[in-house]
């Protein structure tokens, strides 16, 4: 690991002032579950490491926003809030179980008690070629993505227009996007709001990251949920398919959110995780369910359409079926019909 200078500012403005205007010179330290690995693997070799542990209470707190007469409420979660705290928050678990369940399945207890919301959103990809120190891939200044023709069983199946076929590693992002979340970001010019659906991008070179932040910007918080015009509860769920239920990365994740008027779904959103370089919004799947009763057959039909546009690589065509199953089960879980698929699917 390269030697570095450690800073612990007490305000977000001080942290921004310490950040360089180019990637690689400085790195932010929240829980450290990703950064320390990157440093030991010589992928990140910063001159300065800036800890965010000294920032104010707002950076590490959860706030519920519920104006009189409004339902459901929205939540603002500081970027420094631990994943375990999100998973264990009773109100989030009650109203937005997609978010709490996704946070609660990340890593093991040690990771969840160190990792933060901001860190999970901004972490680097987990491609084994990128993480391998001697391999000079596209994102490390090379001329090719080795996964395209190499070992790619865990890589993207939505690859159109992406020379790098990584998958977005964030598990909390898909449910947050499905719930219309926005991120509050601080930079040298002040704060700005970024829709989380527009927060991620597919990097193609060493001077790009898996998100749209500038090198000298910091995520302060994420706000999601909010009052419905119809005052209907937002049905939501996140479902993951993985090799094992203990510490493991999902092979496929589906997050859904919709309102039910009677048994008909409206304002449907379906977002897939771990299948594309960014969280993938499955527009066709959402359209298939919009205005229809939520049944086993309509959920299955939405699952099939969620694979529209996929172009699997040589070793990951199996993800197509996993997407169908994950979307179907997420929809039925959100609608309160999970007992059906537990027995039948």
């Amino acid at each position: 690991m390269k030697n570095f200078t450690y800073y612990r500012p007490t305000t977000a403005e001080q942290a921004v002032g310490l950040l360089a205007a180019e990637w690689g010179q400085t790195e932010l330290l929240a829980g450290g579950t990703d950064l320390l690995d990157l440093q030991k693997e010589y992928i990140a070799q910063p001159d300065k490491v800036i800890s965010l542990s000294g920032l104010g209470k707002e950076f590490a707190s959860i706030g519920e926003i519920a104006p009189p007469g409004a339902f459901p409420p929205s939540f603002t979660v500081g970027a420094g809030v631990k994943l375990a705290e999100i998973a264990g928050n009773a109100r989030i678990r009650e109203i937005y179980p997609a978010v709490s369940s996704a946070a609660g399945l990340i890593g093991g207890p040690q990771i969840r008690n160190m990792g933060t919301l901001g860190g999970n959103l901004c972490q680097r990809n987990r491609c084994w070629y990128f993480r391998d120190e001697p391999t000079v891939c596209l994102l490390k200044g090379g001329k090719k993505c080795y996964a395209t023709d190499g070992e790619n069983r865990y890589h993207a199946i939505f690859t159109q227009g992406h020379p790098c076929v990584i998958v977005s590693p964030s598990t909390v992002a898909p449910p947050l996007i499905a719930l219309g979340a926005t991120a509050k970001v601080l930079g040298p010019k002040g704060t700005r709001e970024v829709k989380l659906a527009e927060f991620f991008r597919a990097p193609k070179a060493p001077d790009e990251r898996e998100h749209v932040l500038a090198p000298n910007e910091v995520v302060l918080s994420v706000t999601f949920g909010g009052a419905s015009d119809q005052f209907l509860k937002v049905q939501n769920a996140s479902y993951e398919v993985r090799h094992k239920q203990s510490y493991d990365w999902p092979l496929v994740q589906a997050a859904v959110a919709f309102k039910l008027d009677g048994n008909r779904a409206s304002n449907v959103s379906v977002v897939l995780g771990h299948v594309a370089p960014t969280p993938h919004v499955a527009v066709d799947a959402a359209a298939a369910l919009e205005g229809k009763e939520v049944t086993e057959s309509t959920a299955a039909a939405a699952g099939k359409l969620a694979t529209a546009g996929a172009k699997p690589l040589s070793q990951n065509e199996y993800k197509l079926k996993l997407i169908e199953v994950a979307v179907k089960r997420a929809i039925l879980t959100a609608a309160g019909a999970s007992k059906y698929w537990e027995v039948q699917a």
Side-chain angles (χ1 to χ4, degrees):
M1 182 185 295
K2 175 185 172 181
N3 290 338
F4 57 86
T5 304
Y6 176 83
Y7 295 86
R8 189 174 183 269
T10 57
T11 67
E13 289 76 11
Q14 290 176 353
V16 168
L18 289 166
L19 289 171
E22 296 180 358
W23 291 113
Q25 299 177 30
T26 54
E27 293 285 352
L28 291 172
L29 173 65
T33 57
D34 185 28
L35 177 60
L36 296 183
D37 280 346
L38 292 172
Q39 289 181 274
K40 288 186 288 185
E41 293 161 349
Y42 282 87
I43 297 168
Q45 301 181 59
D47 298 317
K48 296 187 293 184
V49 171
I50 301 157
S51 172
L52 301 177
S53 62
L55 301 194
K57 181 180 178 181
E58 183 179 347
F59 186 73
S61 63
I62 298 175
E64 181 175 341
I65 306 169
F71 183 84
S74 62
F75 289 84
T76 295
V77 181
V81 173
K82 305 295 186 184
L83 297 170
E85 186 177 350
I86 297 172
N89 185 282
R91 289 289 286 169
I92 294 178
R93 186 167 61 246
E94 174 190 358
I95 302 169
Y96 300 114
V99 176
S100 62
S101 64
L105 289 173
I106 295 171
Q110 296 92 336
I111 294 293
R112 292 193 293 272
N113 279 281
M114 288 297 295
T116 63
L117 172 60
N120 188 266
L121 294 175
C122 297
Q123 65 184 300
R124 299 307 310 267
N125 73 83
R126 302 289 163 165
C127 173
W128 38 42
Y129 294 109
F130 174 73
R131 296 272 172 167
D132 182 45
E133 181 187 343
T135 303
V136 185
C137 68
L138 273 179
L139 302 189
K140 294 191 287 185
K143 297 182 179 180
K144 65 177 291 185
C145 173
Y146 289 91
T148 303
D149 301 314
E151 292 291 331
N152 53 39
R153 59 188 178 274
Y154 301 136
H155 287 72
I157 62 171
F158 293 93
T159 57
Q160 305 91 314
H162 301 309
C164 174
V165 294
I166 60 169
V167 295
S168 175
S170 176
T171 303
V172 294
L176 288 172
I177 291 172
L179 291 166
T182 59
K184 184 178 180 181
V185 176
L186 176 67
K189 297 181 180 180
T191 59
R192 64 186 180 107
E193 302 285 333
V194 181
K195 293 180 180 179
L196 214 61
E198 301 171 356
F199 182 86
F200 298 92
R201 69 173 175 186
K204 302 176 183 178
D207 60 350
E208 295 180 352
R209 291 296 182 266
E210 292 82 352
H211 49 73
V212 299
L213 296 181
N216 52 5
E217 287 186 314
V218 179
V219 177
L220 297 180
S221 62
V222 174
T223 300
F224 60 92
S228 162
D229 293 338
Q230 300 168 301
F231 292 92
L232 298 173
K233 180 181 178 181
V234 178
Q235 309 294 132
N236 61 97
S238 174
Y239 189 89
E240 299 176 20
V241 181
R242 54 176 71 199
H243 275 308
K244 55 183 180 292
Q245 291 304 308
S246 59
Y247 177 44
D248 202 3
W249 294 94
L251 299 171
V252 163
Q253 177 190 13
V256 302
F258 53 86
K259 300 168 189 173
L260 281 180
D261 191 356
N263 196 37
R264 294 187 179 275
S266 62
N267 299 101
V268 182
S269 179
V270 179
V271 184
L272 307 178
H274 304 273
V275 295
T278 64
H280 180 75
V281 179
V283 177
D284 291 345
L289 190 63
E290 188 72 29
K292 294 183 175 64
E293 291 188 9
V294 179
T295 64
E296 191 270 344
S297 61
T298 58
K304 288 184 179 297
L305 285 171
T307 63
K311 300 289 184 183
L313 301 170
S314 60
Q315 299 176 356
N316 63 6
E317 188 173 356
Y318 71 92
K319 285 194 175 188
L320 294 173
K321 183 60 178 179
L322 298 189
I323 288 174
E324 293 182 22
V325 172
V327 170
K328 171 189 170 184
R329 293 185 175 186
I331 291 171
L332 294 176
T333 299
S338 59
K339 290 182 179 179
Y340 181 89
W341 63 254
E342 288 172 356
V343 176
Q344 300 290 334

